[in-house]
Amino acid sequence: MSSVTLNQIGKSYGALEVVSGINLEIADKEFVVLVGPSGCGKTTLLRMIAGLETITVGDLLIDGERVNRVRPDERGLAMVFQSYALYPHMTVADNMSFALRLAGVDKSERDRKVNEAAKILQLDHLLQRRPAQLSGGQRQRVAIGRAIVRDPKVFLFDEPLSNLDAALRIQMRIELARLHKQLSATMIYVTHDQVEAMTMADRIVVVNKGGIEQVGTPMEIYQNPDTVFVAGFIGSPKMNLFEATATTVDGRTFAHLNSGQKISVPMQLKPGTQITLGVRPEALTADSSGPLAGEITVIEHLGGETLTYVDIGNGKLATIKSGEASLGQVGDTIRVSFAADRLHVFGPDGRAIRIQPRH
Amino acid sequence: MEQSTGQKIATALVGWGLSLLMAFPILWMALAAFKTESQAIASPPIFFFAPTLENFAAVFERANYPHFFLNSVVVAGGSTLLALIIGLPAAYAMAFYPTKRTKDVLVWMLSTKMMPAVGVLVPIYLMFRSAGLIDTRSGLVFMYTLMNLPIVVWMLFTFFKDVPKEILEAALLDGARPVQQFWMLLLPLTAPGIASTGLLAVILAWNEAFWSINLSTSNATPLTAFIASFSSPEGLFWAKLSAASLLAIGPILAFGWMTQKQLVRGLTFGAVK
């Protein structure tokens, strides 16, 4: 069992509060991804769990035990750094066995553990090399190997893939997911890349401005974002977000988009309420009887899919994701519609107003 | 950028020309050391002559060269060792556990090098006299340590600063205590920097003349005082003075030559890593 509990955790530097009021339960064997824009406090949060930053307020529990004041190496965690942080003057084998050496583990046991980890990570043939003689991907694997050898309760990853090129990143993503299964370990992973979050996480924690915006499985977060921020941050291409004002005509609610058009909203809203409407690009379809109309300004062919950008007034672009076929040509005016249940409505505070099923 | 043959030759010529110009006084001195006194002061200067060792014989006859040489080695080596022993922990603390005033302390330390040494000659002399340090090797070791400490701390601080913080954090998570971090990571990682700092301190101490001349008379006199003793009372004897100077700078030149790779590597450590 290796669970991690964050209880009202906060961090301030003097009067500057960088993280506040964090409550989070991470279960045994769970892969949790903290995702958010740079400077949102996700790395600080991870470093507090690791013990590299002190915790200003709140309790951090590992396996139910408060560890706020426990030394980093005694928390039973291993961390993989963005820069890998390998010891440049040591061989791969020495890098991986350093912690065991410090802990006084005897040589044969150390070798056994290093070889075991090396086999998992396919590093067997590189054990006598130094970090400078390795490629980026290999260094990354050594850094992970160094963590595995310690047999930690929890693995911490701080943007481990951001220094790799795109192809390698995808490959390492798959390897990490596989590794998580193989080791059945608890992992906490920090990234700013929402694709990494969506593909690897059991649960995603969206962090913004030092607080948690939403916690949920990738699909929960994708399909039911709690806030405008989450809606815009998760998903690529981004969700279409239109600012609008609510009006009522004959008892039905409409949204007057700031870009000029009017669409019906399947819920009751006080007239004059400032709202934001959100629709995923793949939920928009070309439809001659659709409520929105606009001129196609840009078409991007990505091969299997096509992104069409439609100007719905005042230069506001709506993104439509469709299959291989084009929806028209640049300059054409098309009408667009979407299923009512794919519409997200956010109130003036940026929080989602859930659509009530109609009777 | 690809250079044409003509450009290469021009670059080489300019480079050699400048190097010769800068090295000329030293080369001229080396030549003079092997001339007779009359050849040494001849005008126009003589470039071709039958070399003689009589100046060296005269120098050895008049002064106990090994005595001065040994003093220089002890004083330069001892002060460097002491400066490193004090400077390493100081730089470590400043690089990894800085306070709000660390930058100020560093600037203050460097500022002590801006004051003319002669300004503090009298107080230092009086203190040395009271402490019985005049004309002792330990006195000079002490003086040179103080003299080099600011530069030593600055250089070590810079090398420590270049060590990525994550490496020490990784070590912290691996269970390394500060002392283990120092011995197992910092020292091996900054060895080139520490070595070049030491080399520079040796060279600065070896070349120091002001304090050695003022704080030693016979027992502790290093080679710089030995050269000085050849320049005054009986008027100038260029050839003998040159021979003495060559004997004084010879060891440190050879030392610098042998360690130049290390020196350059250390001094450009962070820049080209």
mmCIF file of all heavy atoms in Angstrom, chain A residues 47 50 71 73 79 81 83 85-89 99 101-102 146 150, chain B residues 165-167 169-177 180 184-185 188-189:
data_model
loop_
_atom_site.group_PDB
_atom_site.id
_atom_site.type_symbol
_atom_site.label_atom_id
_atom_site.label_comp_id
_atom_site.label_asym_id
_atom_site.label_seq_id
_atom_site.Cartn_x
_atom_site.Cartn_y
_atom_site.Cartn_z
ATOM 1 N N ARG A 47 7.367 19.060 -5.705
ATOM 2 C CA ARG A 47 8.586 19.207 -4.894
ATOM 3 C C ARG A 47 8.266 19.206 -3.404
ATOM 4 O O ARG A 47 9.089 18.809 -2.597
ATOM 5 C CB ARG A 47 9.331 20.487 -5.300
ATOM 6 C CG ARG A 47 9.965 20.377 -6.699
ATOM 7 C CD ARG A 47 10.512 21.709 -7.156
ATOM 8 N NE ARG A 47 11.484 22.235 -6.219
ATOM 9 C CZ ARG A 47 12.771 21.921 -6.236
ATOM 10 N NH1 ARG A 47 13.244 21.108 -7.134
ATOM 11 N NH2 ARG A 47 13.595 22.430 -5.345
ATOM 12 N N ALA A 50 7.955 15.638 -2.594
ATOM 13 C CA ALA A 50 9.285 15.025 -2.564
ATOM 14 C C ALA A 50 10.078 15.424 -1.325
ATOM 15 O O ALA A 50 10.984 14.712 -0.904
ATOM 16 C CB ALA A 50 10.060 15.408 -3.822
ATOM 17 N N ARG A 71 12.723 13.677 6.296
ATOM 18 C CA ARG A 71 13.729 13.967 5.270
ATOM 19 C C ARG A 71 13.353 13.303 3.945
ATOM 20 O O ARG A 71 12.781 12.225 3.937
ATOM 21 C CB ARG A 71 15.095 13.445 5.716
ATOM 22 C CG ARG A 71 15.936 14.441 6.452
ATOM 23 C CD ARG A 71 17.413 14.122 6.234
ATOM 24 N NE ARG A 71 17.686 12.708 6.375
ATOM 25 C CZ ARG A 71 18.167 12.153 7.492
ATOM 26 N NH1 ARG A 71 18.436 12.895 8.533
ATOM 27 N NH2 ARG A 71 18.391 10.864 7.551
ATOM 28 N N ASP A 73 14.835 11.525 1.680
ATOM 29 C CA ASP A 73 15.212 10.133 1.405
ATOM 30 C C ASP A 73 14.472 9.148 2.300
ATOM 31 O O ASP A 73 14.442 7.962 2.020
ATOM 32 C CB ASP A 73 16.723 9.947 1.547
ATOM 33 C CG ASP A 73 17.219 10.319 2.929
ATOM 34 O OD1 ASP A 73 17.002 11.480 3.332
ATOM 35 O OD2 ASP A 73 17.803 9.450 3.604
ATOM 36 N N MET A 79 12.358 10.321 -7.508
ATOM 37 C CA MET A 79 11.919 11.379 -8.412
ATOM 38 C C MET A 79 12.744 11.345 -9.697
ATOM 39 O O MET A 79 13.950 11.131 -9.667
ATOM 40 C CB MET A 79 12.092 12.728 -7.714
ATOM 41 C CG MET A 79 11.626 13.912 -8.512
ATOM 42 S SD MET A 79 11.189 15.274 -7.390
ATOM 43 C CE MET A 79 11.080 16.626 -8.530
ATOM 44 N N PHE A 81 13.788 13.773 -12.720
ATOM 45 C CA PHE A 81 13.805 15.211 -12.990
ATOM 46 C C PHE A 81 13.722 15.499 -14.484
ATOM 47 O O PHE A 81 14.124 14.675 -15.309
ATOM 48 C CB PHE A 81 15.101 15.828 -12.452
ATOM 49 C CG PHE A 81 15.197 15.834 -10.958
ATOM 50 C CD1 PHE A 81 15.610 14.710 -10.261
ATOM 51 C CD2 PHE A 81 14.878 16.972 -10.233
ATOM 52 C CE1 PHE A 81 15.703 14.717 -8.885
ATOM 53 C CE2 PHE A 81 14.971 16.994 -8.859
ATOM 54 C CZ PHE A 81 15.381 15.860 -8.186
ATOM 55 N N SER A 83 15.575 17.510 -16.121
ATOM 56 C CA SER A 83 16.924 17.535 -16.702
ATOM 57 C C SER A 83 17.657 16.222 -16.456
ATOM 58 O O SER A 83 18.857 16.146 -16.643
ATOM 59 C CB SER A 83 17.710 18.683 -16.084
ATOM 60 O OG SER A 83 17.818 18.470 -14.689
ATOM 61 N N ALA A 85 19.161 14.952 -14.246
ATOM 62 C CA ALA A 85 20.004 15.082 -13.053
ATOM 63 C C ALA A 85 20.833 13.839 -12.782
ATOM 64 O O ALA A 85 20.954 13.388 -11.652
ATOM 65 C CB ALA A 85 19.156 15.436 -11.833
ATOM 66 N N LEU A 86 21.435 13.276 -13.832
ATOM 67 C CA LEU A 86 22.334 12.136 -13.627
ATOM 68 C C LEU A 86 23.658 12.646 -13.080
ATOM 69 O O LEU A 86 24.013 13.801 -13.273
ATOM 70 C CB LEU A 86 22.558 11.400 -14.949
ATOM 71 C CG LEU A 86 21.291 10.854 -15.614
ATOM 72 C CD1 LEU A 86 21.645 10.188 -16.937
ATOM 73 C CD2 LEU A 86 20.582 9.873 -14.699
ATOM 74 N N TYR A 87 24.385 11.763 -12.391
ATOM 75 C CA TYR A 87 25.697 12.142 -11.873
ATOM 76 C C TYR A 87 26.703 11.952 -13.013
ATOM 77 O O TYR A 87 26.995 10.822 -13.390
ATOM 78 C CB TYR A 87 26.058 11.282 -10.663
ATOM 79 C CG TYR A 87 24.946 11.218 -9.628
ATOM 80 C CD1 TYR A 87 24.467 10.018 -9.153
ATOM 81 C CD2 TYR A 87 24.360 12.391 -9.147
ATOM 82 C CE1 TYR A 87 23.435 9.969 -8.220
ATOM 83 C CE2 TYR A 87 23.331 12.348 -8.222
ATOM 84 C CZ TYR A 87 22.869 11.131 -7.765
ATOM 85 O OH TYR A 87 21.851 11.086 -6.850
ATOM 86 N N PRO A 88 27.232 13.066 -13.571
ATOM 87 C CA PRO A 88 27.996 12.966 -14.817
ATOM 88 C C PRO A 88 29.288 12.159 -14.698
ATOM 89 O O PRO A 88 29.767 11.622 -15.675
ATOM 90 C CB PRO A 88 28.324 14.427 -15.168
ATOM 91 C CG PRO A 88 27.698 15.269 -14.128
ATOM 92 C CD PRO A 88 27.121 14.419 -13.061
ATOM 93 N N HIS A 89 29.850 12.098 -13.489
ATOM 94 C CA HIS A 89 31.149 11.435 -13.346
ATOM 95 C C HIS A 89 31.009 9.956 -13.012
ATOM 96 O O HIS A 89 31.995 9.281 -12.758
ATOM 97 C CB HIS A 89 31.972 12.145 -12.279
ATOM 98 C CG HIS A 89 31.301 12.160 -10.937
ATOM 99 N ND1 HIS A 89 30.069 12.748 -10.749
ATOM 100 C CD2 HIS A 89 31.658 11.647 -9.757
ATOM 101 C CE1 HIS A 89 29.713 12.611 -9.481
ATOM 102 N NE2 HIS A 89 30.662 11.937 -8.855
ATOM 103 N N ALA A 99 22.010 5.255 -4.565
ATOM 104 C CA ALA A 99 21.179 5.288 -3.356
ATOM 105 C C ALA A 99 21.404 4.040 -2.500
ATOM 106 O O ALA A 99 21.478 4.119 -1.270
ATOM 107 C CB ALA A 99 19.708 5.399 -3.730
ATOM 108 N N ARG A 101 24.087 2.239 -2.450
ATOM 109 C CA ARG A 101 25.431 2.320 -1.868
ATOM 110 C C ARG A 101 25.375 3.151 -0.591
ATOM 111 O O ARG A 101 25.937 2.774 0.431
ATOM 112 C CB ARG A 101 26.360 2.976 -2.888
ATOM 113 C CG ARG A 101 27.791 2.491 -2.812
ATOM 114 C CD ARG A 101 28.560 3.074 -3.973
ATOM 115 N NE ARG A 101 29.466 4.122 -3.536
ATOM 116 C CZ ARG A 101 29.888 5.113 -4.331
ATOM 117 N NH1 ARG A 101 29.460 5.187 -5.571
ATOM 118 N NH2 ARG A 101 30.726 6.006 -3.872
ATOM 119 N N LEU A 102 24.669 4.288 -0.673
ATOM 120 C CA LEU A 102 24.570 5.157 0.503
ATOM 121 C C LEU A 102 23.817 4.451 1.630
ATOM 122 O O LEU A 102 24.083 4.688 2.806
ATOM 123 C CB LEU A 102 23.846 6.457 0.147
ATOM 124 C CG LEU A 102 24.616 7.414 -0.751
ATOM 125 C CD1 LEU A 102 23.709 8.546 -1.207
ATOM 126 C CD2 LEU A 102 25.831 7.965 -0.041
ATOM 127 N N ARG A 146 17.251 4.657 -12.103
ATOM 128 C CA ARG A 146 17.739 5.064 -10.794
ATOM 129 C C ARG A 146 16.590 5.075 -9.790
ATOM 130 O O ARG A 146 16.765 4.745 -8.632
ATOM 131 C CB ARG A 146 18.364 6.459 -10.919
ATOM 132 C CG ARG A 146 19.176 6.865 -9.732
ATOM 133 C CD ARG A 146 20.015 8.072 -10.031
ATOM 134 N NE ARG A 146 19.195 9.253 -10.361
ATOM 135 C CZ ARG A 146 19.703 10.446 -10.627
ATOM 136 N NH1 ARG A 146 21.006 10.625 -10.609
ATOM 137 N NH2 ARG A 146 18.915 11.454 -10.916
ATOM 138 N N ARG A 150 15.521 1.841 -6.413
ATOM 139 C CA ARG A 150 15.270 2.152 -5.005
ATOM 140 C C ARG A 150 13.990 1.515 -4.489
ATOM 141 O O ARG A 150 13.723 1.555 -3.296
ATOM 142 C CB ARG A 150 15.185 3.667 -4.815
ATOM 143 C CG ARG A 150 16.504 4.345 -5.066
ATOM 144 C CD ARG A 150 16.431 5.784 -4.673
ATOM 145 N NE ARG A 150 15.859 5.908 -3.334
ATOM 146 C CZ ARG A 150 15.259 6.997 -2.892
ATOM 147 N NH1 ARG A 150 15.152 8.020 -3.679
ATOM 148 N NH2 ARG A 150 14.771 7.043 -1.682
ATOM 149 N N LYS B 165 21.558 22.357 -9.836
ATOM 150 C CA LYS B 165 20.935 22.151 -8.531
ATOM 151 C C LYS B 165 20.240 20.787 -8.455
ATOM 152 O O LYS B 165 20.222 20.143 -7.411
ATOM 153 C CB LYS B 165 19.903 23.269 -8.310
ATOM 154 C CG LYS B 165 19.776 23.726 -6.891
ATOM 155 C CD LYS B 165 18.852 24.946 -6.817
ATOM 156 C CE LYS B 165 17.629 24.626 -6.012
ATOM 157 N NZ LYS B 165 16.374 25.133 -6.553
ATOM 158 N N GLU B 166 19.684 20.352 -9.603
ATOM 159 C CA GLU B 166 18.934 19.091 -9.601
ATOM 160 C C GLU B 166 19.818 17.912 -9.224
ATOM 161 O O GLU B 166 19.343 16.938 -8.653
ATOM 162 C CB GLU B 166 18.314 18.814 -10.973
ATOM 163 C CG GLU B 166 17.177 19.733 -11.347
ATOM 164 C CD GLU B 166 17.670 21.000 -11.997
ATOM 165 O OE1 GLU B 166 18.900 21.114 -12.225
ATOM 166 O OE2 GLU B 166 16.852 21.892 -12.274
ATOM 167 N N ILE B 167 21.105 17.992 -9.577
ATOM 168 C CA ILE B 167 21.993 16.866 -9.263
ATOM 169 C C ILE B 167 22.086 16.694 -7.754
ATOM 170 O O ILE B 167 22.023 15.580 -7.230
ATOM 171 C CB ILE B 167 23.381 17.098 -9.897
ATOM 172 C CG1 ILE B 167 23.268 16.943 -11.413
ATOM 173 C CG2 ILE B 167 24.398 16.125 -9.334
ATOM 174 C CD1 ILE B 167 24.564 17.018 -12.146
ATOM 175 N N GLU B 169 19.841 17.770 -5.644
ATOM 176 C CA GLU B 169 18.519 17.371 -5.152
ATOM 177 C C GLU B 169 18.296 15.883 -5.354
ATOM 178 O O GLU B 169 17.740 15.203 -4.490
ATOM 179 C CB GLU B 169 17.433 18.176 -5.861
ATOM 180 C CG GLU B 169 17.414 19.627 -5.417
ATOM 181 C CD GLU B 169 16.373 20.459 -6.135
ATOM 182 O OE1 GLU B 169 15.875 20.018 -7.173
ATOM 183 O OE2 GLU B 169 16.077 21.559 -5.655
ATOM 184 N N ALA B 170 18.759 15.380 -6.515
ATOM 185 C CA ALA B 170 18.642 13.940 -6.773
ATOM 186 C C ALA B 170 19.427 13.179 -5.701
ATOM 187 O O ALA B 170 18.971 12.161 -5.175
ATOM 188 C CB ALA B 170 19.165 13.608 -8.162
ATOM 189 N N ALA B 171 20.600 13.711 -5.365
ATOM 190 C CA ALA B 171 21.420 13.060 -4.343
ATOM 191 C C ALA B 171 20.730 13.101 -2.982
ATOM 192 O O ALA B 171 20.801 12.154 -2.199
ATOM 193 C CB ALA B 171 22.787 13.739 -4.269
ATOM 194 N N LEU B 172 20.061 14.191 -2.728
ATOM 195 C CA LEU B 172 19.327 14.334 -1.469
ATOM 196 C C LEU B 172 18.256 13.250 -1.375
ATOM 197 O O LEU B 172 18.092 12.591 -0.347
ATOM 198 C CB LEU B 172 18.683 15.721 -1.447
ATOM 199 C CG LEU B 172 18.142 16.225 -0.120
ATOM 200 C CD1 LEU B 172 19.294 16.460 0.832
ATOM 201 C CD2 LEU B 172 17.377 17.524 -0.323
ATOM 202 N N LEU B 173 17.534 13.045 -2.482
ATOM 203 C CA LEU B 173 16.503 12.001 -2.504
ATOM 204 C C LEU B 173 17.133 10.609 -2.420
ATOM 205 O O LEU B 173 16.525 9.677 -1.916
ATOM 206 C CB LEU B 173 15.660 12.118 -3.779
ATOM 207 C CG LEU B 173 14.586 13.200 -3.737
ATOM 208 C CD1 LEU B 173 14.131 13.564 -5.123
ATOM 209 C CD2 LEU B 173 13.395 12.725 -2.922
ATOM 210 N N ASP B 174 18.357 10.486 -2.954
ATOM 211 C CA ASP B 174 19.055 9.205 -2.879
ATOM 212 C C ASP B 174 19.625 8.957 -1.482
ATOM 213 O O ASP B 174 20.178 7.894 -1.224
ATOM 214 C CB ASP B 174 20.198 9.159 -3.913
ATOM 215 C CG ASP B 174 19.710 8.678 -5.271
ATOM 216 O OD1 ASP B 174 18.570 8.183 -5.340
ATOM 217 O OD2 ASP B 174 20.463 8.795 -6.252
ATOM 218 N N GLY B 175 19.544 9.961 -0.637
ATOM 219 C CA GLY B 175 19.976 9.760 0.745
ATOM 220 C C GLY B 175 21.356 10.289 1.072
ATOM 221 O O GLY B 175 21.942 9.896 2.082
ATOM 222 N N ALA B 176 21.911 11.159 0.225
ATOM 223 C CA ALA B 176 23.244 11.698 0.506
ATOM 224 C C ALA B 176 23.151 12.887 1.461
ATOM 225 O O ALA B 176 22.424 13.838 1.207
ATOM 226 C CB ALA B 176 23.926 12.108 -0.793
ATOM 227 N N ARG B 177 23.897 12.821 2.556
ATOM 228 C CA ARG B 177 23.974 13.942 3.501
ATOM 229 C C ARG B 177 24.883 15.016 2.904
ATOM 230 O O ARG B 177 25.669 14.710 1.996
ATOM 231 C CB ARG B 177 24.552 13.480 4.824
ATOM 232 C CG ARG B 177 23.802 12.356 5.481
ATOM 233 C CD ARG B 177 22.633 12.891 6.284
ATOM 234 N NE ARG B 177 21.839 11.794 6.813
ATOM 235 C CZ ARG B 177 20.939 11.115 6.112
ATOM 236 N NH1 ARG B 177 20.718 11.421 4.841
ATOM 237 N NH2 ARG B 177 20.266 10.134 6.657
ATOM 238 N N GLN B 180 28.419 13.973 2.384
ATOM 239 C CA GLN B 180 28.562 12.998 1.291
ATOM 240 C C GLN B 180 28.385 13.666 -0.057
ATOM 241 O O GLN B 180 29.088 13.350 -1.013
ATOM 242 C CB GLN B 180 27.528 11.876 1.461
ATOM 243 C CG GLN B 180 27.866 10.948 2.601
ATOM 244 C CD GLN B 180 26.703 10.030 2.943
ATOM 245 O OE1 GLN B 180 25.558 10.454 2.996
ATOM 246 N NE2 GLN B 180 27.013 8.774 3.183
ATOM 247 N N MET B 184 31.311 13.143 -2.578
ATOM 248 C CA MET B 184 31.025 12.186 -3.644
ATOM 249 C C MET B 184 30.558 12.851 -4.933
ATOM 250 O O MET B 184 30.629 12.252 -5.995
ATOM 251 C CB MET B 184 29.971 11.182 -3.173
ATOM 252 C CG MET B 184 30.449 10.394 -1.971
ATOM 253 S SD MET B 184 29.115 9.445 -1.235
ATOM 254 C CE MET B 184 29.404 7.871 -2.010
ATOM 255 N N LEU B 185 30.038 14.076 -4.839
ATOM 256 C CA LEU B 185 29.528 14.725 -6.056
ATOM 257 C C LEU B 185 30.262 16.022 -6.373
ATOM 258 O O LEU B 185 30.845 16.165 -7.432
ATOM 259 C CB LEU B 185 28.036 15.004 -5.911
ATOM 260 C CG LEU B 185 27.162 13.760 -5.804
ATOM 261 C CD1 LEU B 185 25.761 14.136 -5.389
ATOM 262 C CD2 LEU B 185 27.136 13.038 -7.133
ATOM 263 N N PRO B 188 34.354 15.718 -7.061
ATOM 264 C CA PRO B 188 34.698 15.189 -8.388
ATOM 265 C C PRO B 188 34.165 16.042 -9.539
ATOM 266 O O PRO B 188 34.834 16.182 -10.560
ATOM 267 C CB PRO B 188 34.074 13.796 -8.407
ATOM 268 C CG PRO B 188 33.233 13.684 -7.206
ATOM 269 C CD PRO B 188 33.666 14.719 -6.232
ATOM 270 N N LEU B 189 32.981 16.649 -9.366
ATOM 271 C CA LEU B 189 32.407 17.426 -10.468
ATOM 272 C C LEU B 189 33.158 18.725 -10.701
ATOM 273 O O LEU B 189 33.211 19.225 -11.814
ATOM 274 C CB LEU B 189 30.932 17.745 -10.195
ATOM 275 C CG LEU B 189 29.963 16.588 -10.385
ATOM 276 C CD1 LEU B 189 28.553 17.013 -10.017
ATOM 277 C CD2 LEU B 189 30.004 16.111 -11.821
#
